[in-house]
Amino acid sequence: MEAVAKLKNVPSSPRKMRLVADMIRGQKVSKALGILRYQPQAGAALLEKLLLSAVANWQQKNENERAEDADLFVKTIFVDGGRMLKRLRPAPQGRGHRIRKRSNHVTIVIESAANALTLAPEVSTENAA
């Protein structure tokens, strides 16, 4: 069983958030929380809170199981660009330079490792040729 959590309109650039998201992709939830707790980037605190929200969503779906026993891992995490605020900044000789204030949307999917193994397709070791 998988659970999804989304965070929209985060006021930082998608590139900066992707650097943090790449660190926890495929990691176990407990390890990912440990990684995010000690990262200096501003996006790490937001992703930690989002990951805890995804665990709470998983717990809501599976009331009879404990999250610690389920061996949860980060199945998918991706960062998309959000809306962009366009501003003008004064420049020399009466000109104006455009400032683009970027934002992003983050989506995280967690899944139980036991469930992922049962749903994985079987790989044939025979030669098809």
Side-chain angles (χ1 to χ4, degrees), residues 60-118:
Q60 189 72 26
K61 286 183 179 180
N62 304 300
E63 293 178 1
N64 55 355
E65 294 183 41
R66 292 182 56 213
E68 295 83 15
D69 298 336
D71 202 22
L72 298 174
F73 72 100
V74 179
K75 180 180 178 184
T76 309
I77 182 169
F78 55 90
V79 181
D80 296 327
R83 68 173 188 222
M84 194 180 319
L85 299 175
K86 296 179 180 173
R87 302 288 183 256
L88 288 177
R89 184 176 186 103
Q93 299 182 354
R95 295 187 182 102
H97 288 187
R98 180 170 287 166
I99 302 295
R100 295 177 302 198
K101 296 187 174 190
R102 300 176 189 269
S103 66
N104 61 62
H105 307 308
V106 184
T107 304
I108 189 166
V109 179
I110 62 170
E111 187 173 17
S112 173
N115 192 19
L117 292 176
T118 59

Side-chain angles (χ1 to χ4, degrees), residues 16-73:
K16 290 178 184 178
M17 191 64 83
R18 281 187 195 110
L19 289 172
V20 181
D22 289 342
M23 288 189 275
I24 64 168
R25 184 173 288 118
Q27 300 285 339
K28 291 187 177 185
V29 169
S30 58
K31 185 175 180 183
L33 287 171
I35 290 171
L36 292 174
R37 175 138 321 143
Y38 296 106
Q39 289 301 314
Q41 293 90 347
L46 296 169
L47 283 183
E48 181 183 3
K49 193 171 180 181
L50 181 65
L51 186 56
L52 289 172
S53 175
V55 170
N57 292 344
W58 184 89
Q59 189 67 41
Q60 189 72 26
K61 286 183 179 180
N62 304 300
E63 293 178 1
N64 55 355
E65 294 183 41
R66 292 182 56 213
E68 295 83 15
D69 298 336
D71 202 22
L72 298 174
F73 72 100

